[in-house]
Amino acid sequence: MPQSRTDAQRKTRPADAASAKQRQLEAFSQAPEAVLTTDEGVVVPDNHNSLRAGARGPTLLEDFILLEKLRHFDHERIPERVVHARGAGAYGYFEVTRPMGAYTTAEFLQETGARTPVFVRFSTVAGERGSADTVRDVRGFAVKFYTREGNYDLVGASFPVFFIQDAIKFPDLIHALKPEPHSGMPQASSAHDTFWDFVSLVPESTHALLWLMSDHALPRSLRMMAGFGVHTWRLVNAHGVSHFVKFHWKPRLGRHALAAEEARKLAGTDPDFHRRDLWDAIAHGHWPEWELGVQVVEEHKAAGLGIDLLDPTKLIPEELVPVQPVGKLVLNRNPDNFFAEVEQAAFHPGHLVPGIGFSNDPLLQGRLFAYTDSQLARLGGPNYHELPVNRPLAPAHSHHRDGPHRMTVARGQVSYEPNTLASGAEFRVDGAQSGFQSAPDDVESPKLRRRSPSFDDHFSQASLFWNSQSVAEKEHIVCAFQYELVRVETRAIRQRVVDNLAHVDPRLARRVAEPLGLLPDAKAAAGRAGFRQSKAKPVADTSAALSMEGAAAGIATRRVAVLAAPGVEIGVLKIIQQALTDAQAQCKVIAVQLAPISTSSGQQLAVDCTFGAASSLAFDAVLVPGGAAHAQALAAHGDAVRFVLEAYRHCKPLCLIGDAVRLLACIGIDADTPSGHGLFITKGDPSSRVQLAQDFVAAIARHRHWSRPHLESVPA
């Protein structure tokens, strides 16, 4: 049989596959025009005055220019997503570094160096479209691969596990998490009665709760956030052999978190913090990058792991099944239009390509219905796949017909199959071996509403997560539970939560309960409906991969604030600035005014920002050079002192040279205080300048120094 034009298009490798999607989008793009017209192309003569019956008379209904403008404005908004409403997105490419032909026939994973264009959307789950970026939340990490076999959507999250095991509970979870219906509050927060009421009655949520109360729920940047496929999927090779697989996205910049207090302040001072950071990084050529890794398990060996891979509240410890790197994701282009691309992007876990398939995870199975139904309501009908951002690069031909917003003009008289009228020869699609094939799977019977007993272990992996955290990370989890539960007004709900935590770790439960005036009761939790006690042995006690501690990965794109005033000494400053620049960090000089500053040597130092427009919250480290007059001026300026104290409290690296130590005098730190915990106090001796610069860079690479003492006494 001769090769069809469609087959040829699918198999022909473009010179640069990663730019193919951009070329497709250009056909739908519109540049600014010099002439203003109506939507029908009629030139508008006056865009400031409607048509009236006389200069002071009534407006005429025949003014179709006015009516069209108001009508379109009235319908500009589409329904926001019920979840994942707050988002940001970017284009880029996925490049294979290790071919996966042994496991899957997916064409885009077959060849080293092969690039596939992608669109990625990051999002928070709970908040509405106008909420803040930095709230405590699990985050969406959705990747649309525009492969030559069709679109593949890997719709994941920033946690590897979820709160529930069955999709039938998803509406209940989200209803409990969203603002309470009688008051519409709180926005984008889990710190309220209905959420904790629900999770305290659903012990299967305990593992995900530990993630939510951890630093993983407060990423420093979307570029420093991990991603996971959450569910167990299938890879199917050319021989029909199926493997279970878990997907992991690991950021090249490392995993780093905000301090909880810092995140709350940023929500007020810069609610667009994550979106701005992602946009600016791409705009300045600092392209975010992630490594895609897979945990592959032979199906016949899955039962021997001691973990039911169909349970979305469980993960596979990396020590048990290592993550194999298979490729890298690079984001290198911002959208041209937020609404048209980010807001109208439609993802679906059922958008698969040959060689990738589903598992019987009951949460995943429910998602296969919910995503389509959501897009139908949100994007106005069944043709959302024809919107430019959603269009596949692969040639698309179906007999779907009509519907709102249909863009394709299908020619000919045929819109059915089989047929002989389209080309004169019979066209029939009836059991071919090409195209997407579902992996064969044994199906149990009889029908029943019941979960497998292998889903009953609700606490061992929560214990694994807790045991894997560093001392500082455990402290953050305890504080997060306390912060949330003190805002819960119903004592019985608080009691149920700490009772459940007693099955994770008795010390954790006691520490959370103490300031709440409660005593954990593990037996009470075990006596409640929904409690399951598994006799399975935990597969591991700890897993280093679950901790963010020590995740140093260089300091590229980190932001360092340099505080300056007239009389600043720039000798040591230049050496440290050069070291930071060589490490690809960004230095910004902050001062009282934007005017250049006279240094102690008579030179002029350019200023990037003022204290009125800058905050330590937006920086990763702070450097205060020496100079007596300079230090005295900063110490007398309240915003400068607060800047340094706040950075100290949030455990960021601080370098104070000479008299600059005055800015920490109010918390008892002086020139005799030894350096440590990311705090450098030095006289700036010439012989130690290079070493100081190197040590400061190393401290920034560690990101935070959570063990810093006396944080409670810092008035910031």
Side-chain angles (χ1 to χ4, degrees), residues 380-405:
N383 293 313
Y384 60 84
H385 61 282
E386 295 198 345
L387 293 167
V389 70
N390 298 323
R391 294 180 75 92
L393 280 175
H397 171 233
S398 71
H399 291 306
H400 298 160
R401 190 169 177 173
D402 306 338
H405 317 304

Side-chain angles (χ1 to χ4, degrees), residues 13-141:
R13 179 176 295 278
D16 182 6
S19 66
K21 184 62 184 179
Q22 185 170 353
R23 293 196 300 272
Q24 184 194 59
L25 288 168
E26 287 173 356
F28 297 90
S29 300
Q30 181 180 29
E33 298 288 347
V35 177
L36 183 66
T37 74
T38 68
D39 288 341
E40 307 301 324
V42 177
V43 174
V44 174
D46 186 337
N47 193 40
H48 294 267
N49 298 287
S50 53
L51 187 65
R52 304 180 182 89
R56 303 186 71 234
T59 299
L60 299 180
L61 190 60
E62 72 177 65
D63 190 350
F64 66 92
I65 296 174
L66 168 68
L67 299 184
E68 178 191 92
K69 190 173 182 180
L70 293 180
R71 181 173 59 247
H72 196 282
F73 175 78
D74 291 343
H75 294 269
E76 282 180 358
R77 293 293 173 265
I78 62 174
E80 69 175 39
R81 292 166 170 87
V82 177
V83 288
H84 298 280
R86 174 75 173 181
Y91 291 96
Y93 63 86
F94 172 77
E95 181 177 323
V96 176
T97 56
R98 178 181 178 180
M100 293 292 289
Y103 298 112
T104 178
T105 59
E107 185 269 346
F108 77 102
L109 294 173
Q110 299 301 308
E111 183 181 332
T112 300
R115 289 186 175 184
T116 300
V118 300
F119 181 78
V120 178
R121 187 176 187 271
F122 304 100
S123 56
T124 54
V125 170
E128 296 172 3
R129 194 154 50 194
S131 58
D133 285 347
T134 58
V135 296
R136 182 179 293 280
D137 204 350
V138 59
R139 283 161 175 79
F141 194 130

Side-chain angles (χ1 to χ4, degrees), residues 617-663:
L617 305 173
F619 292 88
D620 297 287
V622 178
L623 168 62
V624 189
H630 143 84
Q632 183 176 358
L634 290 178
H637 195 278
D639 287 343
V641 175
R642 182 172 66 248
F643 200 104
V644 173
L645 289 174
E646 199 167 49
Y648 182 93
R649 181 180 175 91
H650 296 150
C651 302
K652 298 178 180 180
L654 276 164
C655 183
L656 305 170
I657 300 172
D659 292 317
V661 74
R662 294 183 182 184
L663 279 78

Side-chain angles (χ1 to χ4, degrees), residues 362-408:
L363 180 62
L364 171 59
Q365 295 285 316
R367 292 178 72 195
L368 300 180
F369 166 79
Y371 277 68
T372 298
D373 202 45
S374 175
Q375 307 301 356
L376 288 172
R378 199 174 64 84
L379 296 173
N383 293 313
Y384 60 84
H385 61 282
E386 295 198 345
L387 293 167
V389 70
N390 298 323
R391 294 180 75 92
L393 280 175
H397 171 233
S398 71
H399 291 306
H400 298 160
R401 190 169 177 173
D402 306 338
H405 317 304
R406 184 71 172 174
M407 297 183 187
T408 300

